[in-house]
Amino acid sequence: MTASVIGLSGSPNTASRSRALLELALAALERQGAGPTRLIDLAHLPSDALLGRREDRDVADAIQAVLDAGIVVVSTPIYRATYSGLLKVFFDLLPQDALARKVGIPIATGGGPGHLLAVDHGLRPLFASVGALVVATGVYGTDAQFRAGVPEPGLVERIERAALEAASLAAGVTI
Ligand SMILES: Cc1cc2nc3c(=O)[nH]c(=O)nc-3n(C[C@H](O)[C@H](O)[C@H](O)COP(=O)(O)O)c2cc1C
């Protein structure tokens, strides 16, 4: 079955905070009836294919999954003040306007609050460059907002709000 909601994790870490937020967003979207969800760990894709050196079936499948989705949720750690290189190389493989008529949710986690605006100055333009309509509520969590990998309630509430916005927008997108 084609998933209507795709989650892309741009973290190379197995115990990833940003991925934990992504999982919560996908669960919230499923509860809101946005359709079946699928999470893709970009770190599991072959790096030489991600760098465009060769074609690969799994990378092609991930790109197709994005093209078939109605909502695309992206999560990333903040590296050097912006989203991860892993996320960047994957987006570089997408066709122009790949996310037109799709809704995007940006999620990031950082070591501290200093790079909070990377969501607005990094992830929003990234989404816009491929035509996505991005929800008003972006999600940014700091490492201090997690206890044993579990995000604090304020962060979870933000994810719920972003998911609600995305589900509403996706239901009404006709442009
Ligand atoms: C190479 C590297 C660069 C980082 N650069 C930043 C940074 O510029 N700003 C920041 O707030 N945190 C930075 N961090 C911290 C991570 O963004 C933070 O720990 C994040 O929550 C990790 O997400 P993850 O658990 O999903 O991988 C950096 C971490 C690494 C490993």
Side-chain angles (χ1 to χ4, degrees):
M1 190 196 327
T2 304
S4 350
V5 182
I6 289 293
L8 299 173
S9 171
S11 173
N13 293 321
T14 41
S16 160
R17 297 177 184 89
S18 55
R19 189 185 191 282
L21 298 184
L22 176 62
E23 283 181 20
L24 289 175
L26 296 185
L29 284 161
E30 230 171 84
R31 276 199 310 280
Q32 285 158 19
T37 65
R38 177 180 165 194
L39 195 161
I40 297 173
D41 284 297
L42 298 179
H44 293 174
L45 297 174
S47 55
D48 51 348
L50 279 174
L51 289 172
R53 291 185 182 141
R54 68 169 174 91
E55 298 199 347
D56 175 81
R57 209 175 44 185
D58 290 341
V59 171
D61 169 67
I63 292 170
Q64 193 57 50
V66 168
L67 295 176
D68 291 342
I71 298 175
V72 179
V73 191
V74 157
S75 70
T76 178
I78 298 300
Y79 284 173
R80 312 295 176 230
T82 190
Y83 49 82
S84 67
L86 198 47
L87 190 60
K88 167 71 170 148
V89 292
F90 182 74
F91 264 68
D92 288 352
L93 296 175
L94 295 176
Q96 198 64 32
D97 295 328
L99 271 62
R101 293 171 301 282
K102 302 181 194 308
V103 178
I105 300 181
I107 298 173
T109 61
H115 291 132
L116 160 79
L117 285 176
V119 171
D120 291 331
H121 294 175
L123 286 175
R124 282 185 192 280
L126 180 73
F127 268 129
S129 72
V130 280
L133 193 59
V134 187
V135 294
T137 303
V139 181
Y140 182 86
T142 64
D143 291 354
Q145 289 178 290
F146 289 79
R147 290 276 178 280
V150 180
E152 65 181 33
L155 258 181
V156 178
E157 273 171 36
R158 243 187 123 69
I159 288 168
E160 296 280 342
R161 195 180 338 150
L164 190 58
E165 288 169 2
S168 312
L169 280 172
V173 167
T174 52
I175 51 170

